[in-house]
Amino acid sequence: MRKYINLLKYEFKTILKDATNLFLILYPFILLILIGLIIPLAFKKAGNIPAFGIILVLVISLSVGGFVSGALLGFSLIENIDEKTILSIAVSPIRVEGYTFFKISYTYILAIISNLIIVGGLKLINNDVYIVQINNQTIHLLDNFSWLHIIVFSFVNGLLVPSVALLIASLAKNKV
């Protein structure tokens, strides 16, 4: 267990040095600014947006979090293979399987936190923007999300991380 704690300390030390880790940390805030501030301004400028367009923007924005984290993890694993750092891990106290499991777990937890920031932040910041009118009925899309729904969504959406990462890492031959 101590070896994984040391690895976690190393990951936290390299956040500012590794662009992938830095983007994983900043990504939820960037997306929250985009879907919480910029897209609502675009909705106001555009005028009457069809309900389908608003729902589509919301669904795509909320579902992309786990996919992006998984893709970044997949590219990170490919980078480890290309730079032969995976060989140095193989002779360390942590085996390659343990390192891969650690990276997946670490990124999964970051994806859960990211989803909580994005969906929870959107519910707190712009609950009144994502409103659609269907058949003379007004539907507040984010009012239907309770905090329990947001937590469950974050855990389930985070499951995209290992599937996307392992798919990319298994199919790609190199970084290019």
Side-chain angles (χ1 to χ4, degrees):
M1 185 65 172
R2 186 171 227 354
K3 54 189 170 187
Y4 292 111
I5 292 172
N6 289 336
L7 193 55
L8 186 62
K9 287 178 186 176
Y10 172 77
E11 287 291 330
F12 283 134
K13 285 180 187 176
T14 62
I15 283 177
L16 295 177
K17 295 176 188 171
D18 185 16
T20 304
N21 283 339
L22 184 61
F23 187 74
L24 275 172
I25 300 298
L26 294 178
Y27 171 73
F29 300 104
I30 294 168
L31 190 61
L32 183 59
I33 289 169
L34 179 69
I35 63 175
L37 301 174
I38 296 173
I39 290 178
L41 287 175
F43 285 165
K44 286 180 184 176
K45 291 274 186 189
N48 192 11
I49 304 289
F52 176 75
I54 294 172
I55 293 171
L56 187 65
V57 165
L58 185 63
V59 168
I60 289 173
S61 299
L62 298 182
S63 63
V64 77
F67 182 81
V68 168
S69 299
L72 290 173
L73 174 61
F75 293 134
S76 174
L77 293 173
I78 292 169
E79 183 177 351
N80 288 341
I81 294 169
D82 279 356
E83 294 179 358
K84 307 284 190 243
T85 55
I86 207 84
L87 296 176
S88 63
I89 293 168
V91 297
S92 71
I94 299 175
R95 297 187 348 204
V96 174
E97 296 87 8
Y99 176 74
T100 306
F101 179 75
F102 168 79
K103 289 286 276 191
I104 289 172
S105 301
Y106 166 72
T107 310
Y108 175 71
I109 291 168
L110 285 178
I112 291 171
I113 294 169
S114 295
N115 284 320
L116 288 172
I117 290 170
I118 293 167
V119 182
L122 189 62
K123 183 173 176 60
L124 292 174
I125 292 172
N126 264 346
N127 198 19
D128 58 336
V129 170
Y130 292 95
I131 300 171
V132 294
Q133 191 91 16
I134 300 175
N135 297 333
N136 295 327
Q137 184 179 8
T138 302
I139 302 170
H140 297 262
L141 297 174
L142 295 175
D143 280 348
N144 294 328
F145 288 150
S146 70
W147 284 100
L148 178 64
H149 288 124
I150 293 171
I151 291 169
V152 170
F153 172 79
S154 298
F155 277 92
V156 173
N157 191 2
L159 292 174
L160 280 172
V161 169
S163 57
V164 170
L166 294 175
L167 182 71
I168 289 173
S170 65
L171 294 177
K173 303 272 188 257
N174 55 33
K175 285 188 278 190
V176 179

